[in-house]
Amino acid sequence: MAEKRDELRQFVVTPLQTNCYAYVSGGECLVVDPGGSGAQLATVLDDVRVTCVAATHGHGDHVGGAAALVRATGAPFAIHAADAELARHAGETSEVGRSYDENAPAPDRTLAEGDVLTVGTATFTVMETPGHTPGGVVLVGGGSAEGVAFVGDTLFPGSHGRTDLKGGDEATIMASLARMASEIAPETTLLCGHGPATTMRRELAQNPFLH
């Protein structure tokens, strides 16, 4: 019998059209950025075992569904320590006048540079990429997830995440983008927090913020 391949599921949630991803490997599932509708996400993922709910950063449109998903699945919630407090206010009105589902729980695990999340035969290594928020991270795939990276709102096709919100910093995100350009393999598919996916090769050729 052929070995079952890993599966990537994508859900677009919240009024800001946030990309929530579920990476499935060996019957286990890593959910990245459960921005909204956490209870519904749990329902559509009932065929796999959610082993971790991870956030690339703490903005409400990325973590508003975390609490409900954690309650439904029992999975731990993981986020960088620098964004944990931001995530705890996801259900409250933000500086731009929006709120999302409910406040994220306190993290069961805090993500830091070099940490590894394992799901089935896949691994995701934490790369700290502050700038959009102080605790922004990119999750770089390895093992059976080689060639995939979850980049949150650090990078978009031809652009990068906004830095005018509290905790954002333009010089810092430029340094993070430069690091991504030098350390992430060109053939890697970059799964963004909003909008379409891209590749590092395409961004190196076309994204003005990587030059």
Side-chain angles (χ1 to χ4, degrees), residues 62-149:
H62 289 256
V63 299
L69 185 58
V70 165
R71 283 196 301 270
T73 63
F77 175 58
I79 191 171
H80 193 283
D83 272 17
E85 182 63 25
L86 178 63
R88 278 196 285 265
H89 299 282
E92 302 165 23
T93 302
S94 71
E95 62 188 293
V96 294
R98 296 189 180 97
S99 61
Y100 303 91
D101 290 20
E102 59 184 310
N103 295 336
D108 301 289
R109 176 177 179 178
T110 52
L111 302 176
E113 178 71 29
D115 285 353
V116 178
L117 299 173
T118 300
V119 52
T121 56
T123 62
F124 291 92
T125 300
V126 175
M127 176 186 290
E128 294 181 348
T129 55
H132 178 60
T133 62
V137 300
V138 166
L139 303 176
V140 182
S144 57
E146 187 81 33
V148 170

Side-chain angles (χ1 to χ4, degrees), residues 117-203:
L117 299 173
T118 300
V119 52
T121 56
T123 62
F124 291 92
T125 300
V126 175
M127 176 186 290
E128 294 181 348
T129 55
H132 178 60
T133 62
V137 300
V138 166
L139 303 176
V140 182
S144 57
E146 187 81 33
V148 170
F150 297 106
V151 302
D153 287 1
T154 298
L155 180 147
F156 299 118
S159 185
H160 67 69
R162 62 190 295 183
T163 57
D164 59 329
L165 300 176
K166 183 178 180 182
D169 185 83
E170 185 72 16
T172 302
I173 204 168
M174 292 302 292
S176 292
L177 291 168
R179 183 180 176 208
M180 290 173 64
S182 66
E183 296 185 21
I184 295 180
E187 59 272 14
T188 303
T189 297
L190 307 179
L191 300 165
C192 304
H194 304 269
T198 184
T199 65
M200 183 54 77
R201 188 180 307 281
R202 184 180 303 139
E203 297 310 303

